[in-house]
Amino acid sequence: MTIIKPNESFIRRMGTMLAIPLLAGALVAAPVASAAATTAKPYAKSTSTASATVKNGAITVIMDGKKLALKSQPLQSKGKILVPMKDIFKALGASVTWEPTTRTIIATSGGYMTMTLQVGASQAAVNGKSVKLDAPATLRNGVTYVPIRFVAETLGALVKWDSAARTVRIQSAEAQQLEAMEKEERERLERRLSTAAIVALNDDSVVMIRTDYGQGSGVVVGDRYVLTNLHVMKEAKSGSILTNDGRTLDIVGVAAFDEKNDLALLLTKQDLELDSVEFGSLDDMQKGDPVVAIGSPLGVQNTVSEGVISNFGYDNGSIYYQVSAPIDHGSSGGGLFNQYGELIGLTTSGYEDTAANINFAIASEDAIELIRTADFDPAKVTFLKSSLPDTLEGVSPEEMTKLLQKEFGSVPGSDGELELSGWKVSRDASGWLQLTANANTDFYDYYGSKMQKDLRVWAANTALELKRMLPNDKIQVQLFYDKKVSFEPRGYDAGTVVALADGKWQVRFAILDVQFKEEMLIRVNP
């Protein structure tokens, strides 16, 4: 299997941390104690103190562009610069403790580093490991001095000596991180493409998918592989890929799928002879960033729309984008591209009947994981097995009722799903197979007026499946609004309102009536 794998050099913009060169290991006192035994001497006779002198004028320390205030002037000893212990550790964000008995300096930083130095010792301990010093710590006039390069670099800073200006310039780890992020942002902005350039880069890598069950979109991810939404392929038993250059290629089947994230990897019979998309990363995206969607809404092939990332979402471990780029039925599985021309998601769904352009796309991270873990034999790839049986002939009413509740238990709509319950199966004196269910009245009271199209689509799909399973029957499917109220309703058609023995009133009428044999009739009540 040849599949283009995701780009491994994704820029990680959030939580970037620079590696600080620290030595691993637990803190041990033995190396320091040994150094103390051989080098510690009375203060007045300290040879290291005697050799520390200020030469050729004062030394300035600049940290992150600002002059560092020091209580005492730096010392220069044998070409090495030493500075007051407390000032440098405080400036670098480390805590420091002075042990006067052993003349030992113990500094800690961030809970991950412990540094131990002893006055006059040529070795220090960093996280328990002995390290040679470029200059020993020293005492002068009651002030403890430490080698500035060793201390700063151990704490992740960069140190440069400007001999002409007699200045030590330090860039802290935090400043390096900020500089790296600013550089990253500049490079990010430089990589931006125009909408036309994004389309030119990816238009041929987006395809239209046609199956015997519906239509959708997909993106090319390998020589014979197309990525799309799983719901585009459900119940399909055959299908083809329509390329942007006018070719039609047969689909062998679904090679791998991820039901939780609504993803499917398709295998074609022939090579696509198209470039694979390049994957982008969620870490490179920000709310408000521009995006471009390419898909086939309502079968209009490779339609381009623009928008922005409206929000980010997480649902049961899945990552998705909310975008304002317009999409519609048939856009499912189409590509969502960032401003660098990289695929960051697959367009999958949206709210209808709103001017807000509230649409959604599955993040490419989940698609990358599906491709990375796909394990299959191309010779054994087929279409997904239908959840419906080949036939219902000879099935008892009880078994048919269970199947209807499981497979036809709701009507999907843009505002949610209209739940159906109480399925009943009967056959009347005229030989009609009658299938009835009750709709959730609370949901229908709010959204029923917006579901006329959804009910018709559901009716047509349901009728086709039932006709396939029961080809010789005349079938009528009715969905009812059935609600009890404490008052006598007014203005309803005769026969739809019935008084009950408990003093309440029942309102019952069909919101959908579909009848079919060779032909189909669909009636939706307002």
Side-chain angles (χ1 to χ4, degrees):
M1 178 180 70
T2 303
I3 297 180
I4 300 300
K5 295 296 182 181
N7 187 344
E8 296 295 339
S9 61
F10 291 149
I11 296 176
R12 298 290 174 179
R13 300 188 65 256
M14 300 179 182
T16 303
M17 292 300 295
L18 298 178
I20 297 177
L22 299 178
L23 301 174
L27 177 63
V28 294
V32 176
S34 175
T38 57
T39 62
K41 297 182 180 180
Y43 299 170
K45 297 181 180 180
S46 172
T47 56
S48 58
T49 302
S51 62
T53 59
V54 179
K55 298 179 180 180
N56 303 321
I59 295 172
T60 302
V61 178
I62 303 293
M63 178 176 288
D64 297 338
K66 296 181 180 179
K67 182 178 179 180
L68 187 62
L70 300 173
K71 293 182 179 179
S72 301
Q73 282 293 318
L75 305 179
Q76 187 171 17
S77 175
K78 298 181 180 179
K80 308 301 180 183
I81 309 299
L82 295 92
V83 292
M85 167 188 74
K86 292 183 179 180
D87 295 335
I88 188 63
F89 280 117
K90 180 180 179 181
L92 290 167
S95 300
V96 64
T97 301
W98 167 250
E99 294 288 348
T101 304
T102 59
R103 299 193 299 171
T104 300
I105 304 157
I106 303 172
T108 59
S109 177
Y112 58 81
M113 190 280 297
T114 299
M115 179 196 310
T116 304
L117 303 91
Q118 193 168 41
V119 171
S122 61
Q123 302 282 327
V126 178
N127 286 347
K129 186 168 184 177
S130 182
V131 181
K132 182 176 176 59
L133 294 173
D134 55 2
T138 188
L139 281 170
R140 182 169 182 174
N141 299 325
V143 177
T144 304
Y145 289 82
V146 293
I148 191 169
R149 180 177 294 278
F150 171 79
V151 168
E153 290 182 348
T154 302
L155 290 169
L158 296 177
V159 182
K160 293 183 179 179
W161 166 242
D162 184 345
S163 58
R166 295 191 58 74
T167 299
V168 180
R169 302 187 188 278
I170 301 174
Q171 186 182 34
S172 66
E174 291 78 9
Q176 293 173 62
Q177 179 183 348
L178 180 60
E179 181 180 74
M181 292 179 69
E182 290 174 346
K183 178 182 178 183
E184 200 171 274
E185 182 64 18
R186 289 193 301 271
E187 293 175 347
R188 178 177 184 266
L189 295 176
E190 290 171 358
R191 291 191 294 117
R192 290 185 300 180
L193 302 175
S194 67
T195 299
I198 294 170
V199 174
L201 187 64
N202 292 288
D203 204 17
D204 287 342
S205 300
V206 179
V207 298
M208 184 160 70
I209 299 171
R210 284 182 180 168
T211 73
D212 58 339
Y213 200 77
Q215 177 262 316
S217 305
V219 294
V220 177
V221 293
D223 295 341
R224 294 173 58 197
Y225 296 94
V226 171
L227 190 68
T228 187
N229 287 144
L230 179 60
H231 72 258
V232 172
M233 301 306 298
K234 275 192 171 181
E235 306 302 334
K237 296 175 177 59
S238 63
S240 58
I241 300 295
L242 281 71
T243 66
N244 197 36
D245 57 11
R247 292 177 293 131
T248 299
L249 295 88
D250 292 333
I251 298 173
V252 174
V254 178
F257 65 91
D258 177 353
E259 189 164 11
K260 182 174 77 75
N261 292 307
D262 191 23
L263 293 168
L265 184 65
L266 310 184
L267 175 67
T268 60
K269 286 185 179 180
Q270 304 91 6
D271 282 352
L272 291 159
E273 298 179 3
L274 296 170
D275 292 334
S276 298
V277 295
E278 181 178 348
F279 285 92
S281 171
L282 177 74
D283 289 348
D284 206 26
M285 305 310 299
Q286 297 176 358
K287 190 173 180 178
D289 276 349
V291 290
V292 174
I294 306 178
S296 300
L298 304 177
V300 183
Q301 189 171 6
N302 282 45
T303 296
V304 176
S305 61
E306 294 179 282
V308 299
I309 295 176
S310 306
N311 220 330
F312 299 90
Y314 303 87
D315 182 20
N316 194 28
S318 300
I319 309 168
Y320 64 87
Y321 295 97
Q322 178 189 333
V323 298
S324 63
I327 61 174
D328 208 325
H329 297 283
S331 295
S332 293
L336 183 72
F337 299 93
N338 62 17
Q339 56 194 328
Y340 320 118
E342 300 164 334
L343 182 80
I344 59 167
L346 297 185
T347 54
T348 182
S349 62
Y351 286 105
E352 296 179 346
D353 302 322
T354 174
N357 281 335
I358 302 175
N359 299 309
F360 302 96
I362 300 165
S364 60
E365 275 75 2
D366 292 318
I368 291 169
E369 184 64 13
L370 173 63
I371 295 172
R372 188 184 68 81
T373 58
D375 183 17
F376 57 89
D377 181 354
K380 296 180 180 179
V381 170
T382 62
F383 283 84
L384 297 172
K385 184 178 179 180
S386 175
S387 58
L388 296 170
D390 293 334
T391 180
L392 286 176
E393 291 183 353
V395 173
S396 69
E398 293 77 16
E399 290 178 295
M400 193 177 299
T401 298
K402 291 179 181 178
L403 181 138
L404 290 169
Q405 188 61 57
K406 178 183 177 182
E407 302 296 339
F408 303 96
S410 64
V411 180
S414 59
D415 294 298
E417 293 195 352
L418 175 63
E419 299 293 335
L420 306 176
S421 61
W423 277 99
K424 293 182 180 180
V425 178
S426 63
R427 195 175 293 275
D428 66 13
S430 301
W432 281 80
L433 182 63
Q434 293 184 302
L435 313 175
T436 63
N438 294 331
N440 183 304
T441 55
D442 290 337
F443 186 90
Y444 195 79
D445 283 338
Y446 283 99
Y447 303 112
S449 62
K450 299 169 62 176
M451 293 196 65
Q452 307 304 303
K453 179 181 176 181
D454 300 319
L455 284 166
R456 288 185 177 277
V457 171
W458 181 90
N461 290 336
T462 300
L464 288 171
E465 289 295 350
L466 291 173
K467 181 63 179 175
R468 177 184 62 80
M469 293 183 287
L470 294 165
N472 300 316
D473 278 288
K474 293 181 294 184
I475 303 175
Q476 181 179 24
V477 180
Q478 291 179 297
L479 304 183
F480 284 93
Y481 180 99
D482 193 331
K483 189 173 187 177
K484 295 178 182 179
V485 295
S486 59
F487 56 90
E488 182 179 1
R490 303 169 60 183
Y492 284 84
D493 293 340
T496 61
V497 178
V498 177
L500 303 176
D502 60 1
K504 293 186 176 182
W505 298 80
Q506 183 180 38
V507 180
R508 181 177 173 82
F509 59 90
I511 62 173
L512 174 67
D513 188 321
V514 54
Q515 304 170 27
F516 51 94
K517 194 174 187 303
E518 286 79 13
E519 297 83 25
M520 184 188 307
L521 293 174
I522 298 176
R523 182 175 63 188
V524 179
N525 289 330

